[in-house]
Amino acid sequence: IMVRNRTSTGIENLDNLMDGGIPEGNSVLLVGPAGSGKTTFGLLFAVEQAKHDKTAVCLFVGQEKTGVIESMDGFGNFYEEIKKLQNEGKLLLFNWEDLCKKYSIEGKNSDGEIAINKRGLLAAIEKIVIDFKASILVIDSITAIMDLCDDRDKRNLFYNLSKTLVANKCTSILICELRSFSGITISPVTNEVTEYMVDGVIRLETTQDLNPKRRIQVTKMRGTDILMEKREYYLTKGKGINVTLARGVS
């Protein structure tokens, strides 16, 4: 039996829920509402890998990379680590605009509205992964990319993106935004089809009560045993994200 190497999330106590971490080469959907710490999760994951001499790429769609970096200034020494790893070429951050300037990834649909050139986007991501020999990729967010797609293209784009990442043996975090309309929470990306296409799914949630709590749950991870129970987690200045050891959260 072949034992796959593990990729640590860099998040305290989370790797224990996946028997030591994410199997190398897995593509993982990270799902959660606004304010649940998805961007922090993705960036901490990339930083952890870059610190261990892996090349990590973060693609930010719908937000500026400068703002993301500055928001990390409150999490201990992560801000300094990010800048250091950038200077060393181990951590590469791209805005959507960076891709648009260098690659042909935007076009117009039949109604004359801006839409993604699917082949151009996939080619751009693959070229970045190959050119920089990246073994880690974080896309924040896949939801924002899907918003630019025609409905009929979304499933094909997601499928082909997953294939591209697998072909290049790239361990990836694909961030998915949960949105609430009239009290109903929905996701423009997550359904049985897209979850089937990825290797893993990690869910973040925030309870709606007088004392809101954040909870995390690994609901799928190919190539490893998982504990599917929910655990509370905290965003802290010293450690970024800390998952508790307590069990039995309903």
Side-chain angles (χ1 to χ4, degrees):
I1 299 175
M2 183 180 69
V3 178
R4 295 172 63 184
N5 292 331
R6 303 302 168 124
T7 305
S8 174
T9 60
I11 295 172
E12 187 171 353
N13 298 323
L14 178 57
D15 291 346
N16 296 335
L17 301 182
M18 298 177 283
D19 199 24
I22 298 171
E24 283 189 358
N26 272 13
S27 57
V28 178
L29 201 63
L30 177 65
V31 186
S36 58
K38 299 183 302 299
T39 295
T40 301
F41 184 116
L43 196 50
L44 291 179
F45 173 71
V47 167
E48 175 69 13
Q49 297 308 307
K51 284 163 58 178
H52 289 84
D53 294 324
K54 293 183 180 179
T55 302
V57 171
C58 295
L59 170 58
F60 297 106
V61 185
Q63 55 185 324
E64 288 293 324
K65 61 187 178 186
T66 303
V68 173
I69 295 172
E70 290 176 350
S71 70
M72 299 299 291
D73 196 19
F75 292 96
N77 63 343
F78 289 126
Y79 179 81
E80 288 76 16
E81 285 184 339
I82 290 169
K83 302 302 292 184
K84 178 177 180 290
L85 292 168
Q86 278 187 289
N87 292 334
E88 293 174 350
K90 296 177 181 177
L91 178 64
L92 304 161
L93 309 181
F94 294 90
N95 282 333
W96 182 252
E97 291 74 15
D98 297 331
L99 295 189
C100 290
K101 288 176 182 177
K102 192 168 184 179
Y103 307 99
S104 300
I105 60 174
E106 284 189 348
K108 292 188 177 181
N109 60 22
S110 57
D111 297 322
E113 300 171 331
I114 292 178
I116 282 182
N117 177 334
K118 183 176 65 178
R119 290 183 180 177
L121 173 62
L122 294 172
I125 292 175
E126 187 166 27
K127 184 169 176 56
I128 288 172
V129 169
I130 292 173
D131 287 353
F132 294 103
K133 296 181 174 60
S135 55
I136 302 296
L137 176 67
V138 176
I139 299 181
D140 187 3
S141 68
I142 195 70
T143 311
I145 291 178
M146 293 298 179
D147 284 343
L148 297 173
C149 291
D150 291 334
D151 287 340
R152 63 181 178 273
D153 287 336
K154 290 181 180 180
R155 183 180 299 181
N156 287 336
L157 175 60
F158 199 94
Y159 173 72
N160 286 299
L161 175 60
S162 298
K163 282 181 61 178
T164 297
L165 296 174
V166 169
N168 288 282
K169 300 179 180 178
C170 193
T171 307
S172 58
I173 298 290
L174 309 176
I175 293 177
C176 176
E177 182 80 24
L178 286 179
R179 295 170 179 170
S180 180
F181 296 94
S182 301
I184 301 174
T185 300
I186 65 171
S187 167
V189 177
T190 309
N191 52 44
E192 292 180 358
V193 175
T194 51
E195 290 193 15
Y196 176 79
M197 293 176 186
V198 295
D199 300 301
V201 180
I202 299 175
R203 299 182 183 279
L204 306 179
E205 65 177 41
T206 304
T207 62
Q208 303 296 320
D209 50 35
L210 292 177
N211 296 300
K213 296 180 176 62
R214 294 185 172 98
R215 293 170 179 167
I216 189 168
Q217 183 181 27
V218 181
T219 59
K220 174 183 178 181
M221 194 62 63
R222 287 185 183 133
T224 187
D225 293 329
I226 60 173
L227 295 175
M228 289 186 64
E229 59 199 29
K230 293 182 180 180
R231 297 283 180 90
E232 290 185 6
Y233 68 98
Y234 301 90
L235 301 178
T236 63
K237 290 184 178 181
K239 298 179 180 179
I241 297 177
N242 179 22
V243 177
T244 66
L245 292 172
R247 299 183 179 185
V249 177
S250 59

